[in-house]
């Protein structure tokens, strides 16, 4: 493989260093000069600067005076620690991290290679980039990327295994990615465990919760759904509504619809018809057919027949049979011009982007 290496440094050791690393924290002298910037500074005690011994060689030792070591920097981190930190990184983050210093560049070489295999795996999976659709080659590429430590490749390989019916292999890769802190791996592992063993949801909820705290909107929705349905757990409507709302705010359409229902009936949230309408419209504008039906009925009851007709037409096209009788009643009350305009608006309608 043709690998682009780090540019060579100057052979003259007296010349300027080409690579530098950022310090972990500012030097102690800065804190001494500006004690007010340190919220833990005790003005009643005088800080005596200490000089680390040469034999310590940048290692920190704890003492009764709680001294800190300031001469460490990022370049001194062990390669395995750097590798674990960056295991969940995307290609752009891996590239940026490789520029921190030469030590990081060397440590992250396997991850840069895994990004190449990940890209080829996606090309083979979707038949893009001038290659034909080939799931076996896609899986092989994902596994090579996973072997080099990328959690993104682990998740994609696990998904292919799951779709092939090899659930154990898929769960194994999801678990490996989840343990390395990948939110998508944690979410997929939680969902997979629920499907395999729905009567024992404790471990699944644990992983869904970790992914939810990390901001994964699908995990937030699945966690709320699991808590809402019970699945062997005690129902917690306040916690359920909280995670529905979090996922809705993150752009997850199904969570928007469920959040609207929570506000409408006051389940886990304070009842608010105004907020219920707001979230129902957001879900409808992003293509949720049941939300389009509910929003259309709400508009019809408010006397806004033109807009109601548009949403009911969209719901009917999406397969919501309950939209047809209401739509037909509204059509009989509209002029020919209004009907044509409503159909034009429905035909011109475009779904707003979402996380779903």
């Amino acid at each position: 493989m043709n690998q682009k290496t780090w540019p060579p440094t100057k052979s003259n050791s007296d010349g300027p260093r080409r690579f530098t690393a950022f310090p972990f924290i500012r030097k102690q002298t800065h804190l001494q000069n500006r004690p007010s910037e340190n919220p833990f500074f005790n003005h009643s005690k005088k800080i005596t600067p200490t000089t680390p011994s040469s034999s310590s060689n940048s290692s920190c030792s704890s003492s009764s005076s709680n001294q800190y070591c300031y001469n460490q920097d990022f370049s001194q981190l062990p390669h395995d620690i750097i590798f674990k930190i960056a295991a969940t990184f995307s290609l752009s983050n891996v590239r940026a991290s490789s520029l921190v210093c030469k030590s990081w560049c060397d440590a992250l070489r396997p991850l840069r290679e895994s990004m190449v295999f990940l890209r080829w795996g996606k090309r083979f999976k979707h038949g893009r980039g001038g290659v034909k659709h080939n799931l076996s080659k896609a899986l092989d590429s994902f596994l090579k990327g996973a072997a080099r430590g990328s959690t993104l490749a682990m998740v994609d390989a696990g998904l292919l295994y799951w779709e092939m019916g090899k659930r154990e292999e898929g769960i194994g890769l999801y678990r490996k990615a989840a343990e390395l802190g990948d939110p998508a791996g944690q979410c997929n592992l939680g969902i997979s465990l629920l499907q395999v063993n729905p009567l024992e949801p404790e471990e699944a909820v644990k992983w869904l919760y970790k992914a939810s705290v990390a901001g994964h909107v699908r995990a937030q929705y699945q966690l709320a759904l699991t808590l809402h349905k019970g699945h062997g757990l005690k129902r917690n409507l306040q916690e359920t509504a909280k995670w529905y709302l979090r996922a809705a705010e993150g752009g997850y359409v199904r969570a928007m619809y469920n959040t609207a229902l929570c506000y409408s009936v006051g389940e886990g949230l304070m009842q608010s018809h105004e907020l219920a309408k707001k979230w129902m419209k957001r879900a409808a504008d992003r293509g949720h057919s049941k939300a389009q039906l509910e929003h259309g009925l709400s508009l019809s009851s408010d006397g806004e027949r033109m807009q109601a007709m548009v949403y009911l037409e969209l719901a009917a096209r999406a397969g919501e049979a309950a939209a047809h009788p209401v739509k037909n009643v509204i059509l009989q009350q509209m002029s020919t011009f209004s009907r044509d305009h409503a159909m034009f608006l429905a035909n011109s309608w475009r779904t707003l982007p979402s996380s779903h």
Side-chain angles (χ1 to χ4, degrees):
M1 179 184 296
N2 242 347
Q3 178 82 22
K4 184 176 179 182
T5 58
W6 196 270
T9 58
K10 294 184 179 181
S11 58
N12 184 7
S13 60
D14 296 331
R17 293 182 61 187
R18 190 178 183 88
F19 306 107
T20 58
F22 301 106
F24 277 127
I25 46 180
R26 290 185 295 180
K27 292 184 178 180
Q28 187 174 357
T29 54
H30 291 184
L31 293 176
Q32 289 175 336
N33 293 336
R34 291 194 295 269
S36 60
E37 294 183 5
N38 184 0
F40 303 105
F41 181 77
N42 189 344
H43 296 276
S44 63
K45 293 183 180 180
K46 183 178 180 181
I47 299 177
T48 305
T50 59
T51 305
S53 62
S54 58
S55 61
S56 63
N57 193 17
S58 76
S59 62
C60 296
S61 59
S62 59
S63 63
S64 59
S65 60
N66 195 22
Q67 296 172 350
Y68 295 93
C69 180
Y70 293 94
N71 57 348
Q72 290 188 348
D73 56 36
F74 286 119
S75 65
Q76 295 175 335
L77 279 174
H79 281 197
D80 59 333
I81 300 298
I82 299 171
F83 197 78
K84 286 182 180 180
I85 292 173
T88 62
F89 283 7
S90 62
L91 175 60
S92 59
N93 289 335
V94 169
R95 285 176 173 171
S97 301
S98 298
L99 297 175
V100 172
C101 62
K102 190 175 187 303
S103 175
W104 280 52
C105 180
D106 294 338
L108 297 178
R109 181 174 289 119
L111 278 181
R112 292 197 300 275
E113 293 175 357
S114 72
M115 292 295 116
V116 177
F117 287 112
L118 179 65
R119 185 184 302 173
W120 276 104
K122 291 185 180 295
R123 288 178 179 176
F124 283 120
K125 181 179 180 180
H126 302 290
R128 295 196 298 248
V131 298
K132 293 182 179 179
H133 175 73
N134 191 321
L135 287 182
S136 62
K137 288 186 177 180
L139 179 59
D140 182 64
S141 297
F142 288 145
L143 289 175
K144 288 179 179 178
R148 285 162 174 78
S150 171
T151 60
L152 304 181
M154 294 174 196
V155 172
D156 280 332
L159 182 59
L160 272 185
Y161 270 134
W162 186 268
E163 292 172 349
M164 292 176 178
K166 299 180 179 180
R167 293 191 167 190
E168 291 185 5
E169 291 86 345
I171 289 177
L173 284 164
Y174 287 154
R175 188 179 297 279
K176 190 174 181 181
E179 289 172 350
L180 287 170
D182 187 279
Q186 293 168 346
C187 175
N188 287 11
L189 177 60
I191 295 172
S192 301
L193 291 174
L194 281 175
Q195 293 185 19
V196 171
N197 195 357
L199 298 179
E200 296 181 6
E202 289 80 9
E203 186 183 4
V205 168
K206 179 190 78 172
W207 290 112
L208 287 174
Y209 183 80
K210 287 187 176 184
S212 299
V213 171
H216 197 282
V217 291
R218 187 186 178 198
Q220 291 169 348
Y221 171 75
Q222 290 294 336
L223 176 61
L225 198 62
T226 304
L227 295 174
H228 200 176
K229 292 181 177 180
H231 281 306
L233 299 170
K234 185 178 180 181
R235 293 185 69 190
N236 187 331
L237 295 181
Q238 285 74 26
E239 194 74 7
T240 295
K242 180 187 82 171
W243 289 114
Y244 275 145
L245 183 58
R246 286 268 190 96
E249 290 170 343
Y252 204 79
V253 180
R254 289 184 235 180
M256 294 179 187
Y257 176 72
N258 287 9
T259 299
L261 295 180
C262 289
Y263 273 121
S264 179
V265 299
E267 188 173 86
L269 295 169
M270 186 176 294
Q271 189 173 26
S272 171
H273 294 297
E274 183 180 349
L275 290 174
K277 285 183 179 180
K278 181 189 83 169
W279 284 111
M280 194 67 75
K281 183 179 185 306
R282 288 187 178 183
D285 289 341
R286 286 157 180 81
H288 195 287
S289 60
K290 291 186 182 298
Q292 290 169 342
L293 171 62
E294 295 288 343
H295 190 54
L297 294 175
S298 176
L299 290 170
S300 176
S301 64
D302 292 341
E304 301 181 27
R305 290 183 295 182
M306 178 67 71
Q307 290 298 318
M309 181 62 201
V310 174
Y311 283 101
L312 290 171
E313 176 65 21
L314 293 172
R317 292 180 184 181
E320 296 295 333
H324 289 284
V326 183
K327 184 187 74 168
N328 292 334
V329 171
I330 296 176
L331 279 174
Q332 294 174 4
Q333 300 172 355
M334 298 174 71
S335 65
T336 303
F337 175 79
S338 296
R339 294 178 194 172
D340 293 340
H341 186 59
M343 290 300 105
F344 171 78
L345 292 175
N347 293 331
S348 305
W349 184 80
R350 294 293 179 270
T351 307
L352 292 179
S354 66
S355 301
H356 172 48

